[in-house]
Amino acid sequence: MLSVQVSAAAGCPVDSPAVEERVVGVGPWPGGEHAWPRAADGALDARYDPELLTSGDARNVEDRYRYWRHEAIVADLDITRHALHIAVENWEHDFNIGSIIRTANAFNVAAFHIVGKRRWNRRGAMVTDRYQHEHHHTDVDALAAWAQDNDLALIAIDNVPGSRPIETYPIPRRALMIFGQEGPGLSAQALERAEAILHITQFGSTRSINAGAAAAIAMHAWVRSHADIPGAAPTEGDHPGHDGA
């Protein structure tokens, strides 16, 4: 296994007893080339990357995708992508966009959409955008037209007067959630074009939640309503969530 040593407590020296090992990847495939995963005809399993098998895999991927080719991972994710799409207005190059895209990858949404400037801050995405499908729209009108053509309900997530609590709203399975940026939130155009405007109910003193955190909560609300949860007992009225692209 490839690993690095990190301090378990801020300020601890690296030789402190508080130091722990954190696994960040895997080394070369155990047993060498003779033990590589192979197809029935003896050829290398097409899903696997010989370079990764030889050198190890330190990518930020689940263990089931270790040593897989990038395109093989995307193809496998495509089989179970959800009917949920997400969109972010990109007017100020907000760092939170990357965080939102990373969460979208965790929930395997059908695609993410960037509205406004084509270039966006990818740093917070931690390369997860490479495993997703990206669409760009010049403005909200273009996004709304795309949503209508693809039978998706445009749902705005923002804490504004007249918005409804996401906790009690029946979120459609085929939905496109749109998020604003830290500070300004969604544009007036986005709020006007949305089929519904939902907010996350808060109980403390702050007037808003971080944009990346709010997006994660909203996406998880969709997951709780529509996704097939591994290991969960089926209940009456369950609906499969895999109707993505």
Side-chain angles (χ1 to χ4, degrees):
M1 303 290 282
L2 300 176
S3 64
V4 295
Q5 288 193 321
V6 294
S7 174
C12 288
V14 293
D15 59 351
S16 165
V19 169
E20 298 177 354
E21 282 195 342
R22 176 171 60 89
V23 175
V24 297
V26 291
W29 186 273
E33 184 173 349
H34 293 295
W36 285 1
R38 299 187 180 277
D41 61 0
L44 177 65
D45 186 323
R47 295 172 299 178
Y48 288 85
D49 185 326
E51 183 176 344
L52 294 174
L53 290 168
T54 301
S55 304
D57 188 353
R59 298 173 301 173
N60 179 24
V61 296
E62 289 194 352
D63 287 345
R64 61 190 170 118
Y65 290 132
R66 289 297 182 194
Y67 305 106
W68 281 35
R69 298 175 185 271
H70 169 262
E71 56 270 24
I73 296 176
V74 173
D76 193 65
L77 290 171
D78 284 346
I79 296 172
T80 57
R81 290 198 193 273
H82 289 129
L84 175 67
H85 290 241
I86 66 105
V88 186
E89 288 193 294
N90 181 34
W91 310 120
E92 300 178 357
H93 212 57
D94 185 7
F95 173 82
N96 285 282
I97 293 178
S99 176
I100 294 171
I101 302 309
R102 183 179 180 182
T103 300
N105 170 267
F107 292 133
N108 202 20
V109 303
F112 70 89
H113 303 249
I114 301 298
V115 181
K117 298 177 181 178
R118 183 177 294 274
R119 294 185 60 186
W120 54 277
N121 193 329
R122 297 176 184 265
R123 183 178 177 186
M126 300 291 288
V127 197
T128 57
D129 54 295
R130 296 182 62 225
Y131 300 95
Q132 300 176 81
H133 300 292
E134 176 179 351
H135 300 273
H136 176 257
H137 307 273
T138 55
D139 54 31
V140 173
D141 285 340
L143 175 73
W146 192 95
Q148 184 175 15
D149 290 343
N150 288 273
D151 191 29
L152 294 165
L154 185 60
I155 307 294
I157 308 296
D158 206 351
N159 183 17
V160 296
S163 59
R164 302 170 64 177
I166 194 170
E167 296 82 4
T168 59
Y169 186 83
I171 304 172
R173 186 172 63 85
R174 293 194 59 80
L176 197 168
M177 290 183 173
I178 182 169
F179 305 97
Q181 297 183 115
E182 193 73 23
L186 283 169
S187 66
Q189 184 186 28
L191 296 174
E192 290 170 0
R193 295 303 305 268
E195 177 177 307
I197 305 171
L198 308 181
H199 68 260
I200 298 163
T201 303
Q202 298 174 207
F203 302 92
S205 61
T206 182
R207 69 169 301 276
S208 64
I209 298 175
N210 168 269
I217 293 171
M219 282 185 257
H220 193 255
W222 185 96
V223 165
R224 287 178 59 86
S225 296
H226 300 293
D228 297 326
I229 308 301
T235 58
E236 186 176 352
D238 275 353
H239 299 288
H242 306 313
D243 185 18

